[in-house]
Amino acid sequence: MLAVAPADPFGYHSRREGYVVIWDRGMETMERSRLEDLQRTRLSWTLHWARDRVPFYRDRLSHLKGLDEHPLEALQDLPFTHKSDLRDQYPLGFLAVSRGEVRRFHASSGTRGKPTVVAYTEHDLTMWSEVVARALAAAGMQPGQTLQNAYGYGLFTGGLGLHAGAERLGVAVIPASGGGTERQVQLMLDLAPDGLAATPSYALYIAETMHHLGVSSDQLALKTGIFGAEPWSEGMREHLESGLGIQAVDIYGLSEITGPGVAIECVEAKAGLHVFEDFFYMEVIDPKTGARKAPGEVGELVLTTLSKEAMPMIRYRTGDLVSVNPEPCICGRTSMRMSRIHGRSDDMLIVRGVNVFPSEIERVLLSQPGVSAHYQLCWEGHPSRPDLVVEIEEAQVGALDQGALAIHLRAALGVHLSVRVVAHGHIPRSQGKAIRVINRMQEES
Ligand code: DLL
């Protein structure tokens, strides 16, 4: 058994000069059979590490056979880890190292209930910055360029996660954090960043503020947008790419697994997010039965960390619904790609008995001409029979026919909803993760 993380587990091949398309070509284009061997070795290490150090996993893993010979098969027999397990062990019940070995804490956004605290050793921070460096290179960023980082700095993993990965790639960082939107535009004019990292909803607000200030994308050096931390659609991509004059890609991650950098689209294909499978083992399961889903089928993403020391996660149920595409990608990376997040199981709206995800509504809504990308979904009426109203601002005054848009949305989504075109500026602008669903129902009487 390995007492410590495998020596040189990452095999870095950092190139700090010249044009980088794939940051770690050795790992990112590795033959699938070799990658699977590597996953087995790292998974076996993780299972031992967790069993020996985390009481929660000791109980689950003590009787497990085949940890060394068949770790992937052994994994299938293990129960899932849920967000509620992390809450039950709050704050540090999952810690697998001594406090003295921890170098950083973060916490998840915690919009529902208690937040979950996550911890990193130095080795974990190195791995994290490595995957973010890969992700930024996949997005098209190059050593020597500059990134304006408008993800919030603090307990949220977006700010510091993107920051460290950019520095590892050799990119200069403007640590703008979220907010101060006019200043963000000024910084983009004065310091000419090549890339912007933000939530898509905040990037949209930055683009709108530019427009109000009379700044056009031609005056900026911006070429790349790295957007994630919340669901967004192809329609939103078009709004952001044209508004900012960039190529925009989707970055995914979650605090429990590491933060941003679990997966990213490559700028060459913009068709699915490459998962860094040498560090994160992915499964897609039926959320009800737990059975494995076939490629192409939508299910819940379950992730197992393969090198994390401070808080290994085994079969963590992300709640995020995706499908997997194992086809090779034109960019040359051999990792599997996951679809954009279809939604979270706990974000699903039930409209008169029909299920719909906010992201599906956005997809259909933003494919329509005349809409701006500023919208929100409001529950109205009596709680016994609530109505879903889509509030949307129009691109120009008079550009939208409310009734025709409602008919189109109902037909495309099979859901009974109505549309209200609202005045410009009515929808609150987001500086982080947007709140899309608002409750305006009458009080229960
Ligand atoms: O949002 C990490 C992150 C920061 C990702 C910056 C990308 C960029 P948490 O706050 O723990 O971590 O929230 C994780 O956010 O389970 C998803 O539901 C959602 N999420 C993250 N990325 C995406 C994305 C960060 N690209 C939760 N598309 C996840 C849709 C996303 N949802």
Side-chain angles (χ1 to χ4, degrees):
M1 195 206 78
L2 290 164
V4 291
D8 185 25
F10 305 144
Y12 301 123
H13 305 287
S14 311
R15 256 200 296 152
R16 294 200 171 271
E17 281 165 27
Y19 195 78
V20 171
V21 180
I22 296 183
W23 174 241
D24 188 341
R25 186 167 286 280
M27 285 293 179
E28 293 178 73
T29 64
M30 186 181 273
E31 234 174 75
R32 293 282 325 164
S33 60
R34 280 191 55 214
L35 175 65
E36 281 157 23
D37 285 345
L38 181 67
Q39 286 183 317
R40 276 191 202 94
T41 309
R42 291 185 178 176
L43 180 59
S44 172
W45 174 82
T46 298
L47 294 174
H48 281 292
W49 183 265
R51 187 191 64 183
D52 296 346
R53 290 162 173 255
V54 183
F56 177 86
Y57 286 127
R58 183 181 309 135
D59 301 341
R60 291 176 163 209
L61 285 160
S62 53
H63 304 298
L64 205 68
K65 302 259 180 318
L67 259 56
D68 294 313
E69 308 78 35
H70 307 292
L72 286 176
E73 290 71 14
L75 188 72
Q76 305 308 309
D77 293 332
L78 278 173
F80 298 110
T81 306
H82 296 87
K83 179 106 178 164
S84 56
D85 296 322
L86 271 83
R87 290 208 183 104
D88 293 346
Q89 302 284 328
Y90 180 86
L92 292 171
F94 272 86
L95 195 63
V97 295
S98 69
R99 283 294 294 262
E101 289 168 282
V102 175
R103 289 293 171 275
R104 174 113 51 92
F105 294 104
H106 280 281
S108 77
S109 10
T111 44
R112 294 181 184 83
K114 250 191 222 169
T116 46
V117 174
V118 291
Y120 305 76
T121 62
E122 195 175 333
H123 172 278
D124 295 335
L125 290 174
T126 307
M127 178 276 282
W128 185 16
S129 62
E130 176 65 12
V131 287
V132 174
R134 288 184 192 177
L136 290 170
M141 295 292 298
Q142 293 296 310
Q145 289 189 336
T146 299
L147 176 72
Q148 183 152 324
N149 188 9
Y151 283 115
Y153 281 64
L155 285 174
F156 175 53
T157 51
L160 287 165
L162 265 292
H163 186 110
E167 288 185 344
R168 185 163 190 92
L169 180 63
V171 161
V173 188
I174 306 170
S177 195
T181 311
E182 290 194 7
R183 193 192 51 178
Q184 302 266 0
V185 176
Q186 196 62 50
L187 285 167
M188 294 200 295
L189 282 168
D190 296 345
L191 296 179
D194 306 273
L196 174 68
T199 59
S201 57
Y202 189 43
L204 187 72
Y205 183 28
I206 295 176
E208 182 186 38
T209 305
M210 265 169 60
H211 184 73
H212 286 158
L213 295 173
V215 174
S216 98
S217 58
D218 300 342
Q219 293 168 261
L220 307 179
L222 221 52
K223 296 176 262 304
T224 305
I226 300 108
F227 303 140
E230 63 184 7
W232 56 305
S233 61
E234 286 306 311
M236 182 69 91
R237 178 166 12 225
E238 280 166 30
H239 278 273
L240 291 170
E241 290 192 336
S242 62
L244 292 164
I246 54 169
Q247 301 283 327
V249 301
D250 191 1
I251 184 167
Y252 171 80
L254 63 167
S255 330
E256 293 83 350
I257 295 300
T258 195
V262 171
I264 189 149
E265 287 176 326
C266 60
V267 68
E268 291 89 343
K270 290 188 199 161
L273 290 82
H274 291 276
V275 179
F276 295 121
E277 291 176 275
D278 50 332
F279 293 123
F280 314 111
Y281 181 76
M282 73 186 298
E283 300 170 81
V284 177
I285 61 152
D286 182 317
K288 288 208 178 73
T289 64
R292 273 275 185 118
K293 288 280 191 180
E297 289 178 356
V298 176
E300 182 175 342
L301 178 68
V302 170
L303 291 168
T304 299
T305 59
L306 295 177
S307 78
K308 264 183 71 185
E309 291 179 333
M311 275 197 183
M313 277 291 124
I314 297 174
R315 302 196 94 193
Y316 182 69
R317 291 194 55 160
T318 64
D320 296 320
L321 299 175
V322 299
S323 60
V324 165
N325 175 5
E327 296 299 315
C329 181
I330 51 165
C331 73
R333 289 177 183 81
T334 47
S335 59
M336 293 213 253
R337 280 175 286 166
M338 64 178 210
S339 61
R340 276 182 185 284
I341 308 293
H342 288 251
R344 289 185 55 80
S345 21
D346 44 10
D347 278 349
M348 193 173 68
L349 307 174
I350 306 177
V351 190
R352 309 255 162 103
V354 181
N355 301 344
V356 67
F357 286 105
S359 55
E360 279 176 81
I361 301 179
E362 177 181 308
R363 181 178 57 76
V364 178
L365 187 65
L366 300 197
S367 66
Q368 294 306 295
V371 296
S372 77
H374 300 288
Y375 76 95
Q376 65 187 12
L377 310 174
C378 309
W379 285 115
E380 297 184 359
H382 193 269
S384 62
R385 198 172 159 72
D387 295 310
L388 190 67
V389 180
V390 178
E391 287 193 335
I392 176 95
E393 294 179 12
E394 44 196 353
Q396 296 110 32
V397 179
L400 277 180
D401 176 341
Q402 197 166 281
L405 187 57
I407 291 169
H408 178 79
L409 285 178
R410 280 182 213 149
L413 296 162
V415 166
H416 185 89
L417 44 72
S418 43
V419 170
R420 185 181 302 131
V421 175
V422 293
H424 177 81
H426 173 91
I427 310 286
R429 301 315 193 230
S430 144
Q431 301 188 352
K433 296 193 190 221
I435 296 168
R436 294 293 185 196
V437 183
I438 313 290
N439 185 356
R440 286 204 205 117
M441 281 187 285
Q442 299 151 10
E443 293 288 304
E444 198 97 48
S445 53

